Amino acid sequence: MKNKVVLITGGTSGIGRACAVAFGQAGARVVITGRDEARLQDTARELTSLGITHHTVRADVGVEADSERAVAETIQAFGQLDVLLNNAGISMRARFQEVDLEVIRRLMQTNFFGTVYTTKFALPHLLASKGSVVGVSSIAGYRGLPGRTGYSASKFAMHGFLEALRTELLPQGVHVLLACPGFTASNIRQVALAADGSAQGESPRDEQKMMSSEEVAEHILAAVRHRRRDLVLTSQGKLTVFLNKWLPSLTDKLVLSHFRKEEKGEL
């Protein structure tokens, strides 16, 4: 990673912020995007204290022009782009029969179109560097999760997009990684959208039992270094993907049971 340039969307909290630190400490120059200026500056102070060369861009990846500007500022600041880490994302927690359709639109706009927009504008530079495109996805991209219909749909769409892109780019030497953490101790659940589109503000899960964002970031860094195609994390995540492939009917029942416990606050 020495002197590589890494653009991380949604880099002000959770996995994105942890990746900014991990890649930066490995020698990369880091660009982070975020919608909240205060959080951007807070993350910038941390990166400065660690001696990490960085640049911040206030941008919403769900807005095409913002994604284009984020890439343009990266090139202006550092003259190249070696790794694009599509991390920006939002979640939801509501039954589909109760959810406002605007919630589904917002998730698709950020999680899917944000990845599409940023990758589109970054691609010429990644072709030049034979770099890496990373999609920070989810187990929900392999297995639809009840209460998260919009989130699952956006991650399935991300998987299809990046898998097709990987195949297109095989002759041109660009690496594409799908990174799928299981449940991770980050703030994505606290800001998950409720049925009416408001932020839920709390998590139904015990964060202390989960893999930390810092651990996830180290796994992603290693996967980029080794140019892996897929990364599935946590034993629960790996088991879910395995069972869904080979015993899908059983997995339906197990996932539903798990969802009911979550609704009751028993996790």
Side-chain angles (χ1 to χ4, degrees):
M1 286 297 122
K2 187 68 174 176
N3 293 324
K4 299 291 187 182
V5 176
V6 182
L7 170 58
I8 302 170
T9 66
T12 61
S13 63
I15 293 171
R17 184 165 176 159
C19 282
V21 171
F23 279 82
Q25 290 184 322
R29 293 169 287 173
V30 175
V31 180
I32 58 170
T33 76
R35 294 180 295 179
D36 188 308
E37 183 64 32
R39 286 187 175 183
L40 271 173
Q41 294 310 312
D42 182 61
T43 305
R45 283 190 289 271
E46 180 183 10
L47 297 178
T48 298
S49 71
L50 295 170
I52 295 170
T53 302
H54 64 276
H55 179 72
T56 63
V57 184
R58 187 171 181 271
D60 180 347
V61 295
V63 176
E64 183 178 339
D66 279 16
S67 294
E68 185 174 20
R69 179 169 51 81
V71 173
E73 286 196 27
T74 299
I75 300 304
Q76 183 176 24
F78 298 119
Q80 66 190 69
L81 178 57
D82 302 281
V83 179
L84 168 62
L85 208 157
N86 291 294
N87 168 75
I90 52 177
S91 187
M92 63 170 286
R93 201 161 58 244
R95 289 177 178 264
F96 180 69
Q97 65 201 57
E98 300 163 357
V99 76
D100 188 316
L101 287 175
E102 184 57 28
V103 171
I104 309 292
R105 293 190 189 97
R106 286 178 62 185
L107 265 72
M108 290 298 296
Q109 195 64 33
T110 296
N111 299 357
F112 174 62
F113 281 106
T115 297
V116 171
Y117 294 155
T118 313
T119 302
K120 178 67 173 178
F121 297 117
L123 191 54
H125 309 288
L126 294 170
L127 285 165
S129 64
K130 295 190 185 301
S132 296
V133 179
V134 182
V136 179
S137 184
S138 167
I139 301 304
Y142 284 100
R143 161 75 221 189
L145 301 180
R148 294 170 176 84
T149 48
Y151 183 70
S152 296
S154 69
K155 294 303 185 180
F156 267 76
M158 175 192 274
H159 279 218
F161 166 64
L162 290 177
E163 188 172 86
L165 183 66
R166 174 195 288 139
T167 309
E168 286 185 13
L169 297 177
L170 273 175
Q172 294 161 285
V174 174
H175 163 237
V176 178
L177 167 68
L178 267 169
C180 300
F183 286 107
T184 304
S186 71
N187 72 327
I188 192 169
R189 278 165 303 285
Q190 281 83 356
V191 296
L193 302 183
D196 62 357
S198 61
Q200 298 219 339
E202 61 180 8
S203 172
R205 297 176 170 274
D206 185 349
E207 302 266 330
Q208 295 181 343
K209 296 179 180 179
M210 300 178 191
M211 183 177 285
S212 70
S213 295
E214 290 73 21
E215 288 177 278
V216 173
E218 289 298 333
H219 282 290
I220 292 174
L221 173 60
V224 171
R225 278 175 161 158
H226 293 97
R227 296 175 79 88
R228 291 181 55 181
R229 70 191 307 279
D230 296 294
L231 177 66
V232 177
L233 296 175
T234 77
S235 55
Q236 183 187 46
K238 292 175 182 177
L239 180 61
T240 301
V241 172
F242 176 83
L243 290 176
N244 194 58
K245 181 176 181 179
W246 297 109
L247 296 168
S249 294
L250 172 62
T251 309
D252 285 345
K253 296 172 184 176
L254 292 173
V255 170
L256 178 59
S257 174
H258 195 79
F259 172 61
R260 286 172 171 166
K261 288 180 181 179
E262 181 184 77
E263 282 193 315
K264 295 176 183 178
E266 297 174 357
L267 296 177

